[in-house]
């Protein structure tokens, strides 16, 4: 694999950083040369590029290509686990779902990675329906989106190895909501996966075609964007929420400059943001 010293020149790094931000919104800081080299080294070697400038030239020349898809997949962070941070899922079950029992429920899991978040949401819905028989008769739909195409394929399959299953998922829920395929693989049960639809989506593009939602989970992804792009995306997410709909952000993320769009709802512990009418 090519080292950062050999392949990632200062000018080449700047060009790649600008390209990546333009095509998918990810904003790299000034000191991520090693990260770029480690994630793109195999692609550079395979394509015969000794400098990252050559890769950028090829990307700009080819436009929407398989190479572009590979580069975005390589540069995307897909760290996830079941019921990550726990508070949002408790808030969903105890605060949000009780307010939404009459109309068809639509939830968007943005940057859904390998599927743990939307499937965790599906489990919460199942637990809620079991505790309150007869609710949500109008049905539920979870739309899960991501920019990483190979990760989406993994998520659609709904199969996880023993290590991935153990990250945040208790043995009781594992037995209840997964089928054991073999000693190493578990698969989400069909009645949970059937309410989840996976789609490719780049958050810097329009997402109005997804329709309106009661709840949006957009957690631990906006931290990779510039402030201006983050504000733009959040305003568009507000437009995608039904009146009074809820937005969940990551634990290290916060809304700033959007008090006209969202109301902070303190849930002790945790917070959620409720869409205001403009």
């Amino acid at each position: 694999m090519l080292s950062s010293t050999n392949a990632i020149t200062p000018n080449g790094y700047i060009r790649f950083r600008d390209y990546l931000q333009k095509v998918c919104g990810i904003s790299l800081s000034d000191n991520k040369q090693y990260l770029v080299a480690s994630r793109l080294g195999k692609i550079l070697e395979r394509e015969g590029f000794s400098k990252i400038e050559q890769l950028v030239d090829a990307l700009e020349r080819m436009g929407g290509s398989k190479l572009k898809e590979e580069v975005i997949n390589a540069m995307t962070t897909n760290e996830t686990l079941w019921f990550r941070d726990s508070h949002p899922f408790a808030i969903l079950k105890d605060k949000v779902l009780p307010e939404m029992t009459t109309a068809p429920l639509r939830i968007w899991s943005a940057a859904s990675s390998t599927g743990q978040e939307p499937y965790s949401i599906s489990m919460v819905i199942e637990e809620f329906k079991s505790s309150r028989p007869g609710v949500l008769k109008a049905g539920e739909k979870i739309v899960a989106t991501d920019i990483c195409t190979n990760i989406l394929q993994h998520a659609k399959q709904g199969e996880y190895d023993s290590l991935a299953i153990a990250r945040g998922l208790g043995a009781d829920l594992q037995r209840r909501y997964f089928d054991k395929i073999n000693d190493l693989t578990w698969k989400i049960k069909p009645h949970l996966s059937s309410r989840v639809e996976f789609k490719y989506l780049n958050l810097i593009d329009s997402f109005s075609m997804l329709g309106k939602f009661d709840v949006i989970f957009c957690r631990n992804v906006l931290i990779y964007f510039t402030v201006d792009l983050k504000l733009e995306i959040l305003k568009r997410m507000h437009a995608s929420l039904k009146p009074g709909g809820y937005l969940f952000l990551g634990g290290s993320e916060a809304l700033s400059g959007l008090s006209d769009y969202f109301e902070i709802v303190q849930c002790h512990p945790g917070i959620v943001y409720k869409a205001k009418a403009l």
Side-chain angles (χ1 to χ4, degrees):
M1 183 176 292
L2 297 175
S3 71
S4 57
T5 302
N6 292 332
I8 314 300
T9 63
N11 180 65
Y13 178 73
I14 292 171
R15 284 190 61 198
F16 177 76
R17 185 180 64 183
D18 292 346
Y19 172 83
L20 190 67
Q21 184 170 327
K22 180 179 71 174
V23 297
C24 66
I26 295 175
S27 178
L28 296 175
S29 59
D30 292 335
N31 60 347
K32 297 295 184 180
Q33 291 88 342
Y34 176 77
L35 175 69
V36 172
S38 65
R39 294 193 177 185
L40 299 184
K42 291 182 179 179
I43 295 175
L44 291 170
E45 287 187 328
R46 187 195 69 208
E47 298 295 324
F49 298 146
S50 60
K51 302 293 182 185
I52 197 170
E53 290 97 319
Q54 296 168 295
L55 174 62
V56 178
D57 288 341
L59 290 167
E60 292 177 340
R61 185 170 59 249
M62 289 187 278
S65 64
K66 183 67 176 178
L67 181 61
K68 173 185 173 182
E69 181 181 304
E70 283 187 90
V71 168
I72 291 176
N73 286 348
M75 292 304 302
T76 303
T77 300
N78 293 295
E79 172 65 20
T80 188
L81 67 156
W82 306 99
F83 299 97
R84 186 174 183 178
D85 302 325
S86 70
H87 298 324
F89 300 96
I91 294 170
L92 176 66
K93 182 180 178 183
D94 299 333
K95 162 70 179 171
V96 175
L97 291 183
E99 297 180 13
M100 301 180 175
T101 57
T102 56
L105 175 69
R106 297 193 79 239
I107 298 177
W108 176 17
S109 170
S112 58
S113 188
T114 46
Q116 279 87 334
E117 180 175 88
Y119 289 141
S120 293
I121 294 170
S122 190
M123 287 183 236
V124 169
I125 292 173
E126 201 67 24
E127 295 287 303
F128 177 73
K129 292 176 69 173
S130 296
S131 66
R132 298 181 60 172
V135 300
L136 296 177
K137 287 185 176 180
E140 324 86 34
K141 188 69 175 180
I142 302 165
V143 178
T145 66
D146 204 277
I147 194 174
C148 189
T149 52
N150 56 356
I151 288 299
L152 279 172
Q153 284 303 117
H154 182 179
K156 288 177 183 178
Q157 292 174 355
E159 295 183 4
Y160 302 90
D161 61 32
S162 299
L163 182 62
I165 278 286
R167 298 193 68 214
L169 190 68
D172 179 57
L173 292 181
Q174 181 177 331
R175 288 191 298 268
R176 197 181 316 166
Y177 294 132
F178 288 81
D179 292 318
K180 189 173 183 180
I181 305 301
N182 53 50
D183 289 342
L184 300 177
T185 308
W186 297 76
K187 185 176 179 66
I188 190 84
K189 286 184 178 291
H191 70 284
L192 293 176
S193 60
S194 63
R195 63 168 66 102
V196 182
E197 180 182 9
F198 289 95
K199 293 176 174 285
Y200 169 85
L201 181 72
N202 187 338
L203 285 175
I204 70 173
D205 296 333
S206 172
F207 40 75
S208 59
M209 80 294 290
L210 295 179
K212 294 283 189 176
F213 294 94
D214 302 284
V215 182
I216 296 176
F217 278 69
C218 184
R219 305 171 61 234
N220 308 301
V221 61
L222 296 179
I223 54 175
Y224 299 107
F225 297 161
T226 64
V227 172
D228 289 344
L229 181 55
K230 174 182 174 180
L231 288 174
E232 177 195 332
I233 291 172
L234 287 170
K235 287 178 181 178
R236 290 192 282 125
M237 284 189 167
H238 177 273
S240 294
L241 281 168
K242 297 175 185 177
Y246 288 94
L247 171 68
F248 288 88
L249 297 180
S252 62
E253 299 168 320
L255 290 179
S256 179
L258 292 173
S259 57
D260 291 339
Y261 291 81
F262 294 96
E263 168 193 356
I264 299 176
V265 180
Q266 299 283 351
C267 296
H268 309 291
I271 61 174
V272 65
Y273 300 92
K274 189 170 186 177
K276 293 182 178 179
L278 295 181

